[in-house]
Amino acid sequence: MSKTTRRRRALIPICARLLVLSFLLHGLVTALAHEGTGRAGFKEPVGVEIESEFYAGRRGYLHGGLGFVSPLSERQKIGLVGHFVREETGGELFPSLGAEFVQEFENGFSLEAYSFGYFPVAQQNAWAAGLRAIQSFQLNEHVTIAPFIGPVFARVRAFEEKSASPVTVHHSMLLGGVAVHAEHFEFTVFASQSFFNRDPTGLETHVDLEEMTHFAAYENNDGFASHTVGGEVSYSPLDRLTLTARYALILYDHETRHSISFTPSVKVSSHLEFFAGVQLIRGDGIENDLVVGGASFGF
């Protein structure tokens, strides 16, 4: 049996799990929507957003993504996203596919359910699911504070360097934080605590922490982190200009990484926005600087 045939056969159960999980998550969110608000209060969906992103670094590192978010109603939306990553020139491409559902309730409460999966490549694959609860409080006409918390679970088929063989790791994460939204300013802080069913030391995985957490501060940082702390600040001095800075401290058993990024964005019209910048990743014994670019389009 060829490697291509084996990969295709291995892909079938992963895709089946993702499909079933997506339907279950959609059913959960829809059921909660009926219970919490009722369909009578929903308005017709408005607006679809498409976003692309691209990272490039030394030695041929590439990371790209494309996703879209579409409202199902005034209080419910669905999203799909695809990613790929290549560590070096001539290296394997690791693709992933994710889905999310968001439901808003009355009194500022909302739920986000999401899942993603990595297709089998080089004896590695993964699937995961997360749920996040968010409660917004309107402090005044211009300021809103929104604490959030939620669990994430991932089943990861990782690669063990010592034995040169794949192993299975169950990665459970609890993520929490708070976001502050003002008229021209947004500030978010967050932290995570992870638990594993075995010692993850010496295991290699391409599961990205951004996909585990849905926070861009963790972008391009894979592996099994034990603790993390991060923050994001966005400021819009002009209607068409937004300045965004992100930082994440990521702790592993035997190393520490610092992820820093600056990505200003410019709106060229009411529908189209471009962003570009740089991401600095320190730690892991090597300094890795990446250039960042992308665009979002709404209609």
Side-chain angles (χ1 to χ4, degrees), residues 1-292:
M1 186 185 298
S2 67
K3 290 184 178 179
T4 302
T5 302
R6 288 196 298 269
R7 287 180 182 176
R8 287 176 179 172
R9 291 188 176 182
L11 180 60
I12 293 174
I14 298 295
C15 291
R17 288 171 182 168
L18 284 175
L19 184 61
V20 171
L21 183 58
S22 296
F23 276 116
L24 289 175
L25 290 175
H26 182 262
L28 170 65
V29 174
T30 302
L32 289 172
H34 280 282
E35 181 181 351
T37 60
R39 298 293 295 179
F42 286 0
K43 298 180 180 180
E44 290 297 319
V46 288
V48 175
E49 184 176 0
I50 300 174
E51 181 173 317
S52 65
E53 60 182 4
F54 185 77
Y55 295 76
R58 302 173 185 175
R59 301 184 301 277
Y61 178 92
L62 295 176
H63 177 197
L66 179 66
F68 83 91
V69 176
S70 174
L72 300 177
S73 68
E74 187 183 44
R75 299 194 179 192
Q76 191 178 51
K77 63 183 179 180
I78 183 175
L80 293 174
V81 62
H83 282 272
F84 76 87
V85 63
R86 186 189 73 179
E87 295 290 342
E88 58 189 3
T89 301
E92 295 271 12
L93 283 177
F94 290 83
S96 66
L97 182 65
E100 67 173 349
F101 303 95
V102 178
Q103 172 64 53
E104 296 180 359
F105 301 92
E106 297 178 351
N107 302 319
F109 181 70
S110 62
L111 279 175
E112 176 187 1
Y114 57 95
S115 65
F116 69 86
Y118 271 72
F119 298 153
V121 176
Q123 303 184 76
Q124 299 181 50
N125 60 67
W127 67 267
L131 185 67
R132 183 172 304 158
I134 307 166
Q135 178 64 61
S136 298
F137 301 97
Q138 191 79 33
L139 299 185
N140 55 49
E141 184 180 356
H142 301 291
V143 180
T144 301
I145 184 170
F148 55 87
I149 191 169
V152 188
F153 174 79
R155 182 186 184 276
V156 183
R157 191 71 167 170
F159 187 79
E160 187 175 38
E161 297 179 356
K162 182 181 295 185
S163 63
S165 61
V167 297
T168 299
V169 180
H170 293 168
H171 182 178
S172 301
M173 174 187 287
L174 182 63
L175 178 83
V178 61
V180 178
H181 304 271
E183 189 173 2
H184 300 286
F185 175 83
E186 293 186 11
F187 177 66
T188 308
V189 292
F190 37 85
S192 74
Q193 169 69 61
S194 290
F195 308 91
F196 308 97
N197 68 327
R198 56 160 294 162
D199 184 4
T201 303
L203 301 183
E204 177 183 337
T205 176
H206 290 273
V207 176
D208 195 275
L209 292 179
E210 188 277 335
E211 291 175 299
M212 291 279 292
T213 62
H214 277 202
F215 279 103
Y218 296 115
E219 192 90 51
N220 296 316
N221 285 278
D222 53 21
F224 298 102
S226 57
H227 307 79
T228 73
V229 177
E232 177 177 310
V233 179
S234 294
Y235 174 62
S236 300
L238 304 172
D239 290 340
R240 293 181 178 270
L241 176 65
T242 301
L243 307 175
T244 302
R246 302 181 179 95
Y247 170 76
L249 171 65
I250 307 169
L251 303 179
Y252 298 86
D253 286 342
H254 299 292
E255 66 185 39
T256 300
R257 295 182 195 170
H258 302 269
S259 179
I260 307 165
S261 64
F262 304 95
T263 53
S265 60
V266 177
K267 288 184 178 180
V268 298
S269 72
S270 59
H271 300 285
L272 183 61
E273 182 176 5
F274 291 98
F275 62 90
V278 62
Q279 182 182 26
L280 313 176
I281 301 178
R282 299 294 182 259
D284 198 20
I286 301 176
E287 293 187 347
N288 298 292
D289 297 340
L290 305 176
V291 293
V292 184

